[in-house]
């Protein structure tokens, strides 16, 4: 199955916006053909392409601007065992928090709205449950955070939705009673609960403990292509000091956090040279990372909708989904919750930036405090 072409090139683009008509799992997910079949053009999102060739000055400048804009200066995260630092006195940040108030100081408002409702909790991993670190292989969550996530999962259906591979994020978290969605929601595994056996994109499988689970992989045909691109990117970036390529199963991440800024254009050129012949792949950017992803109608927002359905919690007035995340890819989930007035998005950020979230938290330390508050509130409600 050859999906290559010599007439198209990748474009650095954000995930396509989600309209209300795309929120449903069945109608929103574009169908995919079985292995060996020819891809239908209706399978893919329409992504504008530029002509191939050397990355010229205009394109190089555009890529560099995009890489800089998505890579704000990193403030070192406070250690989890430290006391909360005093409130940031920065005027811009305090002004920003008027629009995105702290989920901690607004917890009474959140809990009042949650009374009589079933909370479903969705969490990003990097920058949310663990601090952002220079080496992505060392993004470990603390034991305290793991204990809190374990407790919160006992009271609320909980899922971790990450751009990492599902196996990698499970290795970091190590808890079994959760849903795990890797590759930005393109690889979902969770306990078999209230889910229809005849869902066209879901199969029964078993996890590493031998427990029966549901497995959902809408981009499975892309695995050979992703593996091929991963190997090519490893080879093409091997001489760029600080560059790291990560295979996240259904997407490939090229980290440039440790690359000298003067070499960022070189990183972009290497990625362009590799994927310009793959029209079925697109390039997006996150926090000092370029990501190669399949061009299908699926993202973290779709993953939230799918998980709510799989838990029997979709289209229910007594359900309150809460999504906590720090990255631009989490905006798809925030938008789903905001557009349908379905729940709360909480942005984790120590600096002002526009978002579809309702509330904010500064860093993983505050995320942990928020999760503790949810557990304490649930215990109190159960005792009444």
């Amino acid at each position: 199955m050859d999906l290559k072409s010599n007439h198209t090139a990748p474009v650095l683009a954000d995930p396509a916006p989600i309209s209300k008509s795309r929120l449903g799992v069945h109608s929103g997910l574009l169908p995919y053909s079985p292995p060996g079949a020819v891809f239908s053009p209706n399978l893919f999102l329409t992504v504008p392409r530029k002509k191939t060739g050397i990355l010229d000055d205009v394109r190089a400048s555009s890529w560099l601007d995009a890489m800089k804009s998505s890579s704000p200066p990193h403030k070192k995260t406070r250690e989890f065992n430290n006391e909360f630092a005093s409130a940031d006195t920065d005027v811009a940040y305090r002004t920003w928090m008027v629009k995105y108030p702290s989920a901690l100081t607004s917890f009474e408002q959140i809990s009042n709205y949650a009374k009589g409702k079933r909370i479903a909790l969705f969490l990003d991993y990097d920058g949310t449950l663990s601090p952002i670190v220079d080496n992505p292989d060392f993004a470990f969550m603390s034991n305290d955070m793991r204990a809190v996530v374990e407790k919160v999962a006992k009271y609320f259906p909980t899922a971790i939705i990450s751009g990492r591979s599902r196996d990698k994020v499970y290795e970091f978290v190590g808890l079994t009673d959760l849903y795990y969605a890797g590759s930005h929601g393109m690889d979902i595994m969770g306990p078999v609960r209230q889910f229809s056996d005849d869902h066209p994109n879901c199969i029964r499988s078993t996890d590493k403990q031998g427990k029966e689970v549901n497995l959902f992989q809408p981009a499975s045909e892309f695995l050979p292509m992703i593996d091929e691109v991963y190997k090519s990117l490893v080879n093409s970036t091997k001489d760029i000091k600080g560059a790291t390529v990560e295979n996240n199963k259904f997407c490939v991440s090229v980290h440039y956090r440790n690359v000298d800024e003067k070499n960022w254009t070189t990183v972009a050129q290497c990625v362009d040279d590799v994927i310009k012949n793959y029209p079925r792949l697109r390039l997006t950017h996150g926090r000092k990372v370029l990501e190669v992803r399949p061009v299908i109608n699926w993202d973290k927002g779709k993953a939230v909708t799918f998980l709510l359905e799989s838990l029997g919690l979709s289209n229910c007035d007594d359900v309150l989904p809460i999504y906590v995340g720090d990255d631009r890819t989490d905006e798809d989930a925030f938008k789903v919750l905001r557009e349908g007035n379905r729940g709360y998005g909480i942005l984790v950020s120590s600096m002002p930036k526009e978002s579809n979230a309702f509330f904010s938290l500064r860093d993983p330390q505050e995320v942990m405090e928020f999760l503790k508050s949810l557990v304490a509130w649930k215990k109190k409600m159960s005792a009444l």
Side-chain angles (χ1 to χ4, degrees), residues 313-335:
L313 300 177
S314 61
N315 302 317
C316 298
D317 293 334
D318 65 339
V319 172
L320 177 63
I322 296 176
Y323 189 106
V324 187
D326 75 306
D327 196 60
R328 64 190 304 124
T329 59
D330 298 310
E331 291 296 326
D332 294 308
F334 295 155
K335 190 174 183 180

Side-chain angles (χ1 to χ4, degrees), residues 299-321:
D299 51 40
K300 288 186 176 182
K302 291 287 187 180
V304 168
T305 302
F306 172 84
L307 285 166
L308 286 172
E309 180 182 313
S310 71
L311 288 167
L313 300 177
S314 61
N315 302 317
C316 298
D317 293 334
D318 65 339
V319 172
L320 177 63

Side-chain angles (χ1 to χ4, degrees), residues 22-278:
R22 291 171 54 196
L23 295 181
V25 172
H26 300 292
S27 61
L29 176 61
L30 296 174
Y32 64 91
S33 50
V38 177
F39 279 94
S40 165
N42 294 327
L43 170 63
F44 307 102
L45 294 175
T46 300
V47 180
R49 302 281 176 171
K50 294 186 179 181
K51 293 182 179 180
T52 57
I54 300 300
L55 194 64
D56 56 35
D57 291 341
V58 175
R59 288 185 65 194
S61 176
S62 177
W63 282 54
L64 192 59
D65 289 344
M67 292 167 79
K68 288 180 178 179
S69 67
S70 64
S71 308
H74 173 55
K75 291 184 179 181
K76 187 175 181 180
T77 305
R78 297 191 302 271
E79 294 297 326
F80 279 21
N81 58 355
N82 286 349
E83 295 293 330
F84 278 142
S86 59
D88 197 327
T89 57
D90 180 77
V91 174
Y93 189 79
R94 286 191 284 112
T95 302
W96 176 78
M97 288 189 69
V98 173
K99 184 176 181 180
Y100 306 99
S102 167
L104 290 176
T105 58
S106 304
F107 188 79
E108 183 176 358
Q109 174 187 344
I110 296 172
S111 60
N112 284 339
Y113 186 75
K115 288 180 180 178
K117 298 181 183 295
R118 293 173 289 169
I119 291 177
L121 188 61
F122 303 94
L123 305 167
D124 183 27
Y125 183 76
D126 292 276
T128 299
L129 298 181
S130 72
I132 297 295
V133 295
D134 290 337
N135 188 333
D137 289 334
F138 296 152
F140 303 116
M141 66 191 301
S142 70
N143 290 332
D144 288 343
M145 178 66 88
R146 182 174 293 102
V148 171
V149 173
E150 185 175 22
K151 288 180 181 178
V152 83
K154 291 180 179 179
Y155 291 99
F156 312 105
T158 302
I160 296 178
I161 305 179
S162 173
R164 302 271 196 154
S165 71
R166 175 172 48 80
D167 288 342
K168 186 65 175 180
V169 76
Y170 176 80
E171 180 183 328
F172 278 139
V173 178
L175 300 174
T176 58
D177 195 23
L178 304 174
Y179 270 105
Y180 288 91
S183 303
H184 302 291
M186 288 182 284
D187 187 11
I188 302 176
M189 178 178 282
V192 176
R193 295 182 180 174
Q194 302 174 41
F195 195 83
S196 173
D197 290 339
D198 60 356
H199 193 288
N201 299 300
C202 191
I203 62 173
R204 291 292 177 90
S205 183
T206 55
D207 63 14
K208 295 180 180 180
Q209 289 75 40
K211 184 171 60 176
E212 190 176 24
V213 293
N214 284 325
L215 181 63
F216 180 76
Q217 297 176 333
S220 57
E221 292 91 347
F222 288 87
L223 280 175
M225 188 190 305
I226 291 294
D227 287 340
E228 183 178 326
V229 169
Y230 166 72
K231 292 174 183 177
S232 297
L233 286 172
V234 168
N235 183 63
S236 67
T237 61
K238 63 184 180 182
D239 294 326
I240 303 176
K241 185 178 180 180
T244 304
V245 183
E246 184 178 12
N247 188 338
N248 289 315
K249 193 165 185 175
F250 292 102
C251 59
V252 178
S253 300
V254 181
H255 300 273
Y256 57 91
R257 179 173 299 277
N258 298 319
V259 176
D260 192 307
E261 189 171 324
K262 67 183 181 182
N263 294 324
W264 285 8
T265 303
T266 305
V267 174
Q269 177 71 69
C270 286
V271 177
D272 181 74
D273 288 343
V274 169
I275 72 168
K276 62 186 177 183
N277 293 323
Y278 293 87

Side-chain angles (χ1 to χ4, degrees), residues 275-309:
I275 72 168
K276 62 186 177 183
N277 293 323
Y278 293 87
R280 304 308 187 190
L281 299 178
R282 61 175 172 149
L283 190 62
T284 63
H285 50 92
R287 295 177 65 175
K288 293 190 177 178
V289 61
L290 297 175
E291 293 191 305
V292 180
R293 302 164 62 178
V295 182
I296 66 169
N297 189 356
W298 197 259
D299 51 40
K300 288 186 176 182
K302 291 287 187 180
V304 168
T305 302
F306 172 84
L307 285 166
L308 286 172
E309 180 182 313

